[in-house]
Amino acid sequence: MKIAIYGLWIFNLLLVSLAVQAQKFENLAPTPPMGWNSWNYFKCDFNEELIKKVADAMSSNGMKAVGYEYIVIDDCWQVGRDKNGNIIPDPDKFPSGMKALADYIHSKGLKFGLYSDAGTKTCKGLPGSRGYEFQDARTYASWGVDFLKYDWCHHSTQDAKASYTLMRDALYKAGRPILFSICEWGENDPWLWAPEVGHMWRTGHDIKDCFNCDLNTSSQGVMQILDQQAVLRKYAGPNAWNDPDMLEVGNPGLTIAESRAHFSLWCMLSAPLIAGNDIIDMSPEIKKILIDKEVIAIDQDLLGIQAIKWLDYGDLEIWFKPLQNEEYAVCFLNRNEKEKTLNFDFNQWGKVFDPDKGWKKYTFDATYHIYDVWKKQHLGTSKTPLKATIPGHDVLLIKMSVKK
Ligand code: GLA
């Protein structure tokens, strides 16, 4: 009898400890995370001075004020492990150490992110976390890390869901709330398991600063990434976001119009807004794109509904995103290099079907005021056709509201 009671007790203890481990930190990403990451522009070329300048820039150039908060150091910060297995940051790049850098970033009212890999090595061949998950998570927590991007190079025969779940549990056990960003390039249908494991997951391979480019390599153009997103919308929502990859806004391969279109579409997709350009030295036009409050509000809308690809005319696509308070964002995307004349009659279309929510129907029975979100202009109402010219590789982004 006694043995049976003890047995039951141990079994319960086991269940409780499993239940404690089996969760991610909740509510760290009720809206899509916003921040900056070193990879897209700087690759491995950074050090603590640069990262501090990025923090200075973000806190003073208007980005922090509109919601950017994470400063994430991607691949190339780590060089090896000490004899106890502790991960060693590159002493040349970070002579003051990671804790000091985290403190600096926190002192600016911002948050600190790092990168590691579920395999034995990172994509740049530096030490990964395989076999060191709990130890690394404790180290990150002791440094004051708030965000972990976890990559998928050198994973050999590892199972993706199990590998990411292991790190989730390690982070949870370490006790510091750390936003978990899963980066396995959409290879193992992460949308099916990642909502329980992390706060965001990459849906595909790496973005490149190229608008409409079928690169046929492990990186892809902005339009090619966009094309993969429509079918994934039903998996996204508060605390669990599809991540079509970091922003290329402001990087050399995109024109201003292309940067604007890219940013608008990522907002329509409720994508994490992780700037990937040199925010220390950016043009006023690019800064204007990155800090437009009203465009960002579309991304950060509390409903967290990823846009529906409503109409597709080849070169002209129309994306539709329901927002709070019976408002809608509509993005008219001109994929062609030449400008397009738009003459769009809401009365003719009258409704948008949401294929993923039991064919919910959004109708335009009421009179909606149309507002050009980039140009800050009212464009009449939904009762008269919307006429506009959309330059090549650009968008017309509107908000529809019953109240003006
Ligand atoms: C992979 C990721 C990128 C970046 C690099 C770093 O390619 O998908 O986002 O982190 O690794 O090496």
Side-chain angles (χ1 to χ4, degrees):
M1 181 64 179
K2 237 181 176 174
I3 294 177
I5 289 175
Y6 273 131
L8 207 70
W9 188 71
I10 289 172
F11 180 62
N12 274 343
L13 210 74
L14 224 112
L15 274 186
V16 169
S17 78
L18 275 179
V20 167
Q21 280 188 14
Q23 46 183 307
K24 65 180 186 183
F25 283 107
E26 273 311 335
N27 220 28
L28 292 183
T31 58
M34 294 174 67
W36 173 90
N37 175 299
S38 52
W39 183 254
N40 283 359
Y41 183 75
F42 291 100
K43 298 287 186 285
C44 292
D45 190 14
F46 54 73
N47 58 24
E48 64 183 34
E49 280 318 307
L50 180 101
I51 302 298
K52 281 161 115 178
K53 281 190 191 147
V54 168
D56 294 345
M58 189 185 276
S59 59
S60 62
N61 68 6
M63 290 180 78
K64 180 184 164 193
V66 295
Y68 292 86
E69 56 177 344
Y70 292 100
I71 296 203
V72 184
I73 306 179
D74 209 281
D75 207 347
C76 302
W77 63 266
Q78 58 282 79
V79 280
R81 292 192 180 273
D82 70 14
K83 62 178 186 336
N84 297 319
N86 296 313
I87 191 77
I88 309 174
D90 185 334
D92 296 331
K93 286 181 170 148
F94 301 100
S96 316
M98 287 307 190
K99 172 85 172 68
L101 185 55
D103 288 348
Y104 185 85
I105 291 172
H106 291 149
S107 78
K108 298 267 154 185
L110 300 169
K111 293 183 174 164
F112 179 47
L114 277 182
Y115 159 103
S116 188
D117 190 290
T120 50
K121 290 181 190 160
T122 71
C123 295
K124 282 290 170 191
L126 295 159
S129 288
R130 176 72 173 152
Y132 295 90
E133 290 84 357
F134 286 79
Q135 188 171 359
D136 283 354
R138 278 196 300 276
T139 304
Y140 304 152
S142 75
W143 287 341
V145 168
D146 307 294
F147 181 114
L148 177 68
K149 171 176 169 183
Y150 207 46
D151 213 342
W152 191 228
C153 277
H154 299 279
H155 60 265
S156 177
T157 57
Q158 281 172 239
D159 176 73
K161 182 179 174 189
S163 302
Y164 283 91
T165 304
L166 186 64
M167 193 39 132
R168 172 202 67 180
D169 292 347
L171 292 173
Y172 198 76
K173 190 112 193 287
R176 181 181 171 87
I178 295 182
L179 192 152
F180 193 30
S181 160
I182 294 171
C183 176
E184 61 73 77
W185 320 312
E187 285 190 348
N188 301 276
D189 299 342
W191 37 87
L192 298 180
W193 48 266
E196 303 299 315
V197 180
H199 302 90
M200 53 194 266
W201 54 87
R202 279 275 295 277
T203 55
H205 285 276
D206 292 10
I207 194 168
K208 177 124 184 49
D209 56 343
C210 192
F211 193 70
N212 196 358
C213 314
D214 206 349
L215 298 161
N216 204 16
T217 61
S218 58
S219 46
Q220 347 168 49
V222 175
M223 289 298 101
Q224 285 61 41
I225 292 186
L226 178 70
D227 291 341
Q228 299 154 16
Q229 306 309 313
V231 294
L232 300 178
R233 60 180 296 275
K234 65 178 169 204
Y235 302 105
N239 291 299
W241 305 103
N242 284 316
D243 174 12
D245 206 358
M246 303 169 295
L247 296 165
E248 292 285 5
V249 171
N251 282 335
L254 298 183
T255 64
I256 298 288
E258 290 170 346
S259 277
R260 180 170 40 244
H262 169 30
F263 193 74
S264 310
L265 290 157
W266 262 229
C267 289
M268 293 297 286
L269 294 173
S270 309
L273 298 179
I274 310 291
N277 61 320
D278 179 0
I279 63 167
I280 303 165
D281 183 18
M282 60 180 161
S283 69
E285 292 99 314
I286 290 300
K287 188 168 102 180
K288 207 162 154 244
I289 293 173
L290 284 176
I291 66 171
D292 190 298
K293 257 192 192 163
E294 291 177 314
V295 178
I296 291 172
I298 294 172
D299 179 76
Q300 296 288 304
D301 183 81
L302 289 176
L303 292 182
I305 301 180
Q306 185 173 322
I308 299 165
K309 189 173 180 181
W310 176 18
L311 297 165
D312 186 343
Y313 298 109
D315 275 352
L316 177 72
E317 286 176 13
I318 308 177
W319 292 74
F320 175 89
K321 185 181 199 300
L323 307 171
Q324 290 189 104
N325 306 319
E326 210 199 334
E327 293 189 324
Y328 306 118
V330 183
C331 186
F332 298 85
L333 164 68
N334 178 6
R335 293 176 71 128
N336 202 296
E337 281 172 357
K338 298 203 189 92
E339 69 172 32
K340 258 192 194 317
T341 317
L342 183 74
N343 186 352
F344 188 76
D345 187 353
F346 284 94
N347 296 315
Q348 186 194 333
W349 291 103
K351 52 191 164 304
V352 184
F353 287 109
D354 184 340
D356 301 314
K357 310 271 174 193
W359 290 97
K360 183 177 163 52
K361 191 168 67 172
Y362 298 97
T363 54
F364 302 125
D365 294 341
T367 301
Y368 288 89
H369 296 277
I370 311 269
Y371 176 68
D372 182 330
V373 190
W374 284 116
K375 294 208 176 119
K376 317 290 174 206
Q377 278 170 11
H378 291 279
L379 302 178
T381 76
S382 56
K383 293 297 167 204
T384 47
L386 174 61
K387 294 187 176 162
T389 305
I390 311 175
H393 287 185
D394 207 338
V395 291
L396 168 65
L397 180 64
I398 61 162
K399 210 163 99 172
M400 303 175 67
S401 333
V402 177
K403 285 198 199 121
K404 200 168 178 179

